[in-house]
Amino acid sequence: MNDHRPETGAAPALRRLLDLLASGAATEDFAEVLADARRRGAPAAVLSAIDDATWQALRVHRTLRQHRRREAELTALFDTAGDLAASRDLDTVLQAIVRRARLLLGTDTAYLTLPDEAAGDTYMRVTDGSVSVLFQTLRLSLGDGLGGLVAQTARPYATPDYRTDERFHHTGTIDAGVLDEGLVAIIGVPLLLGGRVIGVLFAADRAPRAFSPDEVALLCSLAAHAAIALDTAKSLADTRAALAGLNSANELIRAHAAAVQRAEQGHDRLTDLVLRGAEVPDVAAEVAALLGGEVAVLDTEGDPLAGRAGPAEGLAGAVAASRAEGRSVRHGEDWVCAVLAGQEPLGTLVLRGRPGLEDADRRLFERAAVVTALLLLLRRSVAETENRVRGELLADLLTAPDRDPVGLTARGRRLGVDLGRPHLVLVAEPAGAPGAAATDRGRLAGAAGRYLFGSRGISAEHGEAVVLLLPEDAPTGPAGTAGPASAQQAAELAAERLARLAGFPVTVGVGRPAAGPVALASSYAEGLRCVRALRVLGRAGDGASARDLGFLGVLLGDGHDVDGFVGATLGPLLDYDARRGTELVRTLRAYFDCGGSLTRAKDELHVHVNTVVQRLDRVEALLGPDWNRPERALELQLALRLQLLAGA
């Protein structure tokens, strides 16, 4: 028996509908099944069953399509979350979010704006699908346009046609940008973080379009991810900044700790040097090693006690500034620190080769100046004590040298003074002597102690003068430089430096080098006579030896160095006669013997008067234009007499 139920006649159509659902066919294909049954003349009951089945199939088809779309949306959200987890580049993440928003909603463009707190508006941060430069550079004030409304209300808004939508505050700038991009339908959702709008995400089409609630929800989900990305990026930036700050602080702490440790080590090493009895050059070398530069120690005159002096230009001003500030100061590429005992200057420290000096190293350099001051004070104190003891020896030596020469020599040896070696005896007086004030003499005695500081010499007040005893071969130049070549140079140098140290002119006379107590006392007497002669000659403030005083030196000197006087006075003439076989000395003697008469001199010499004139011109060329002045003529006549006597 045949089955006449409608469902049975509609079975082929139902199977076809199932096939369409399985293949994901288009909605129009489902209506074709009912139309085909009508064309075949199916009964009304069958057509009704097929119609009901088609309607149910369309409901299932629509549900499946929604599920697929939802699955795609969830996949996109998961991919976005994965991008956030894998990427630390904010631009890359935001670009991916905007691109997915455009793809999922199927819009022509998508873009994201962020607020500019400094400017008080918002700006385009990321765009995708945009072709207008004007649109890409738009800035929106709060409340202007669709984006301004979203930012102001923290709610999503969509418009099927932005051009005619009066819900938004239109401005010429925004409308011009939207028109240039050709946008019509726009949807914008807020990026919320803790209830605060931190940006707006948009999707837009260039044709009218109504956005569904599902599309609004999808865009809101993407906006939430964008907000998380922004917050994460800000947190990472803050963390990186904090880490950078911590690293910088850690580096500063380490550098400071290293500097403090180096300063402590430097202080310990300098203290150890002082306790071991080191000298100023040792301290300078240690400081140079600690600071990695070159260190010089200068005395109050600018002469080096250690290291090299270097250029003196502007140094005095730098030293004065260091004294005023109480710390080291920059001097060109160098550093200068005054060495002080209270307010009394003892010298200067100069550091070269370290133009950039950190605070810790600068304090170490200044501490070295303090250590140097202690050493100089200690040395000066010891030197003053030794000089007082040696001064007593010098006073006994000058007062009674022949009383116990052997005992004086032994006392000197115990005090480090070998009286058996040749010494120079310098007699110094204030240029205002005789009768100089005791204060001047006391200042001169102190200046003599500083002048001899670091040498093997001794000094003492004796009578109206200050006497300095200095080994002949001792370095008497500044800070141990090479000594003078003669007693005369020793006297000149002493007069110059004692005047600078004492602050007033000083006259210095020096005797012949002598060895032994008796000879040294005699040399002192000769030096004293030289000082008196310098006063008489109006040469106060000079330094001289007996030999430098010409014929007065012959009269005042104990050795009566006739040959030396004759050689110094007539030497150029004697040498010329010896080389050329001339008779300049004989001509000069005849000229003086004849009272300066050329006529009588030519008769005495049996030559023509022109010959006498020519010879005297040669004498003037060799001796100088003042040879015939009274004082010089007296010396020449005395030398000629002594030379004649020596020849006889």
Side-chain angles (χ1 to χ4, degrees):
M1 227 180 127
N2 292 333
D3 190 353
H4 294 290
R5 286 179 299 174
E7 292 82 357
T8 304
L14 295 178
R15 284 194 298 271
R16 187 177 175 187
L17 288 173
L18 290 175
D19 290 339
L20 290 174
L21 285 174
S23 63
T27 304
E28 295 79 8
D29 295 338
F30 288 87
E32 183 62 27
V33 174
L34 180 61
D36 185 57
R38 284 195 181 98
R39 284 194 298 271
R40 287 199 304 269
V46 172
L47 291 175
S48 177
I50 294 174
D51 186 40
D52 291 340
T54 301
W55 182 77
Q56 293 292 340
L58 287 173
R59 286 184 59 192
V60 172
H61 181 271
R62 186 163 53 252
T63 301
L64 289 176
R65 187 174 60 186
Q66 290 174 347
H67 281 237
R68 281 195 294 270
R69 186 178 70 245
R70 187 61 179 165
E71 182 181 358
E73 292 172 355
L74 290 175
T75 301
L77 292 176
F78 283 131
D79 290 343
T80 302
D83 290 340
L84 286 174
S87 177
R88 294 295 180 266
D89 182 12
L90 178 63
D91 287 339
T92 302
V93 174
L94 294 181
Q95 188 67 51
I97 290 174
V98 170
R99 184 177 296 110
R100 286 197 177 98
R102 178 189 174 198
L103 293 176
L104 289 174
L105 270 68
T107 56
D108 296 323
T109 64
Y111 49 97
L112 186 145
T113 62
L114 294 180
D116 186 341
E117 295 181 359
D121 58 6
T122 60
Y123 66 98
M124 288 287 182
R125 181 68 169 80
V126 181
T127 63
D128 188 74
S130 172
V131 296
S132 168
V133 176
L134 177 62
F135 181 76
Q136 294 167 11
T137 57
L138 271 181
R139 300 188 74 93
L140 293 77
S141 299
L142 190 65
D144 290 343
L146 186 147
L149 184 60
V150 172
Q152 187 178 39
T153 62
R155 296 177 59 188
Y157 278 90
T159 176
D161 191 343
Y162 179 85
R163 299 167 297 180
T164 60
D165 199 328
E166 298 299 329
R167 292 178 299 165
F168 318 119
H169 179 244
H170 292 263
T171 67
T173 303
I174 298 175
D175 288 351
V178 171
L179 179 63
D180 194 55
E181 187 65 52
L183 300 181
V184 177
I186 303 175
I187 179 174
V189 297
L191 276 65
L192 296 173
L193 188 65
R196 182 170 59 92
V197 177
I198 62 171
V200 179
L201 178 62
F202 298 87
D205 260 341
R206 294 187 175 91
R209 171 179 175 176
F211 292 98
S212 68
D214 289 342
E215 290 173 327
V216 174
L218 174 61
L219 198 60
C220 287
S221 298
L222 289 174
H225 282 77
I228 294 172
L230 287 169
D231 185 53
T232 303
K234 182 179 182 302
S235 298
L236 286 174
D238 292 343
T239 302
R240 291 192 187 101
L243 288 175
L246 288 175
N247 287 334
S248 299
N250 192 32
E251 289 296 327
L252 288 175
I253 291 172
R254 279 204 296 266
H256 180 70
V260 171
Q261 184 179 10
R262 188 168 64 252
E264 290 177 352
Q265 292 174 350
H267 179 70
D268 293 341
R269 289 165 68 175
L270 293 177
T271 303
D272 184 61
L273 281 177
V274 174
L275 294 177
R276 287 191 286 108
E279 296 294 336
V280 171
D282 300 323
V283 173
E286 189 67 34
V287 176
L290 288 170
L291 297 180
E294 179 187 352
V295 175
V297 183
L298 311 179
D299 63 13
T300 53
E301 299 296 312
D303 298 319
L305 298 172
R308 60 184 181 89
E313 183 179 357
L315 183 61
V319 174
S322 177
R323 288 183 59 187
E325 296 179 18
R327 64 177 314 184
S328 58
V329 297
R330 185 79 174 268
H331 175 51
E333 294 295 311
D334 303 336
W335 286 88
V336 173
C337 189
V339 179
L340 303 172
Q343 293 300 315
E344 179 188 0
L346 300 178
T348 305
L349 249 63
V350 180
L351 173 63
R352 303 185 183 92
R354 281 292 305 275
L357 203 59
E358 298 174 356
D359 287 342
D361 288 342
R362 187 176 179 184
R363 288 193 295 270
L364 177 59
F365 179 54
E366 292 163 357
R367 187 175 292 122
V370 175
V371 173
T372 303
L374 291 175
L375 277 181
L376 292 176
L377 281 176
L378 180 61
R379 286 182 58 190
R380 190 171 75 178
S381 177
V382 171
E384 288 174 352
T385 302
E386 292 179 348
N387 201 50
R388 281 197 296 271
V389 177
R390 292 175 178 178
E392 295 173 0
L393 168 67
L394 184 57
D396 293 343
L397 173 68
L398 300 179
T399 303
D402 52 355
R403 181 184 303 166
D404 185 11
V406 176
L408 289 172
T409 302
R411 280 176 60 191
R413 192 173 294 112
R414 288 194 297 271
L415 296 174
V417 180
D418 186 2
L419 298 179
R421 294 176 57 191
H423 282 71
L424 293 174
V425 182
L426 293 87
V427 182
E429 288 184 350
T439 54
D440 285 353
R441 193 163 60 252
R443 288 172 59 187
L444 179 56
R450 292 196 296 275
Y451 173 60
L452 296 177
F453 184 58
S455 71
R456 291 173 292 159
I458 60 176
S459 63
E461 291 186 59
H462 189 70
E464 297 292 327
V466 175
V467 182
L468 296 84
L469 184 66
L470 197 65
E472 184 184 22
D473 60 348
T476 56
T481 58
S486 67
Q488 166 63 25
Q489 290 177 330
E492 292 175 349
L493 177 63
E496 176 189 350
R497 297 207 66 206
L498 288 174
R500 278 192 289 167
L501 293 171
F504 50 75
V506 177
T507 307
V508 178
V510 61
R512 291 176 298 111
V518 176
L520 288 171
S522 177
S523 178
Y524 159 72
E526 183 176 324
L528 185 59
R529 289 194 294 271
C530 287
V531 169
R532 292 170 180 168
L534 288 171
R535 281 205 310 268
V536 171
L537 294 172
R539 293 176 56 185
D542 285 350
S545 63
R547 185 171 182 177
D548 185 55
L549 297 178
F551 72 94
L552 283 178
V554 176
L555 298 176
L556 298 174
D558 288 338
H560 300 296
D561 186 8
V562 174
D563 291 339
F565 172 68
V566 171
T569 307
L570 299 177
L573 303 183
L574 293 171
D575 291 342
Y576 192 88
D577 284 347
R579 291 197 314 270
R580 304 293 183 89
T582 55
E583 294 184 335
L584 297 183
V585 174
R586 179 167 173 258
T587 301
L588 186 60
R589 182 182 298 115
Y591 175 75
F592 283 130
D593 288 345
C594 294
S597 172
L598 296 176
T599 303
R600 291 171 56 192
K602 62 99 175 173
D603 293 337
E604 178 73 21
L605 297 170
H606 303 290
V607 295
H608 194 273
V609 68
N610 289 341
T611 303
V612 177
V613 172
Q614 291 173 359
R615 290 178 179 178
L616 292 179
D617 288 342
R618 177 59 60 184
V619 168
E620 181 175 341
L622 294 172
L623 299 183
D626 63 340
W627 70 274
N628 206 15
R629 292 180 182 174
E631 184 178 342
R632 186 75 184 279
L634 179 59
E635 286 191 358
L636 289 171
Q637 291 179 64
L638 179 58
L640 289 168
R641 292 287 181 182
L642 293 173
Q643 192 255 355
L644 186 62
L645 290 173

